[in-house]
Amino acid sequence: MTDQNPYTPQPGQPPQGYYQQPPAPKKKPWYKRAIIMVPLTLIVLFILFVGGCSALFSKAADEVDKDMNAEHTITYQISGDTTDANVTYSVGEANTTQETGVASGWSKEVTVKGFWGASLTASNGMNGGGTVTCQILVNGNVINENTATGDYASASCSASADDIENATE
């Protein structure tokens, strides 16, 4: 019998007490690793979100700019049987104009730009009793009308920027 040590390794086997490491797993390509994909996905989503928001804000800014630069022609009219009215009307932004001694049949065309509305007040003067009617027209359409009667009576009309814009559409 041959004297063989039971602890001697067989051919092709590692020595006793020796642990053989398993082969290293194959590394995934960098673009398939979760540690890369999660932040990369978040960055792409953020870029898409910012791009969408900027497109939305750009469109809104264009609409506001268009509305601010839109010109509207407003016609103010006084009718009735007044012969001595005082008229005050807006001519855009915060500018107003006043005319005195106005008789029935008076009309004024004003071009306004932007978001500004329109206002018109006609008051019978000392010598102008009777009826006074104010009208605000846009594109020939009456937007607002009011009538007052008597000495020193006042008729007031107003139209918002939305009223004017709706009349031009």
Side-chain angles (χ1 to χ4, degrees):
M1 193 172 198
T2 60
D3 203 14
Q4 216 179 18
N5 183 354
Y7 299 111
T8 28
Q10 297 296 317
Q13 295 292 318
Q16 186 174 2
Y18 178 80
Y19 175 72
Q20 185 176 7
Q21 296 258 343
K26 288 184 180 180
K27 283 189 169 183
K28 290 183 181 179
W30 69 270
Y31 56 87
K32 288 188 176 179
R33 294 182 193 160
I35 197 159
I36 298 295
M37 290 308 294
V38 170
L40 190 60
T41 303
L42 291 175
I43 289 170
V44 168
L45 289 174
F46 178 74
I47 290 170
L48 290 173
F49 176 75
V50 169
C53 288
S54 67
L56 181 67
F57 289 132
S58 173
K59 181 167 174 53
D62 288 345
E63 287 294 318
V64 169
D65 186 54
K66 182 180 129 191
D67 289 345
M68 279 180 49
N69 292 316
E71 289 188 351
H72 304 288
T73 301
I74 299 168
T75 304
Y76 297 114
Q77 290 182 349
I78 302 298
S79 59
D81 57 9
T82 187
T83 56
D84 182 30
N86 297 319
V87 176
T88 305
Y89 57 94
S90 62
V91 288
E93 296 188 33
N95 300 327
T96 58
T97 300
Q98 186 171 28
E99 295 185 24
T100 58
V102 172
S104 179
W106 176 90
S107 181
K108 184 64 111 178
E109 209 169 80
V110 176
T111 300
V112 295
K113 186 176 179 179
F115 299 115
W116 310 107
S119 64
L120 170 64
T121 301
S123 302
N124 277 332
M126 231 174 12
N127 304 321
T131 301
V132 61
T133 299
C134 66
Q135 289 182 324
I136 298 176
L137 296 92
V138 176
N139 292 341
N141 298 320
V142 176
I143 303 298
N144 197 330
E145 179 176 4
N146 198 357
T147 302
T149 303
D151 291 340
Y152 305 105
S154 289
S156 293
C157 298
S158 64
S160 69
D162 286 338
D163 294 339
I164 294 169
E165 180 144 353
N166 291 338
T168 59
E169 293 177 348

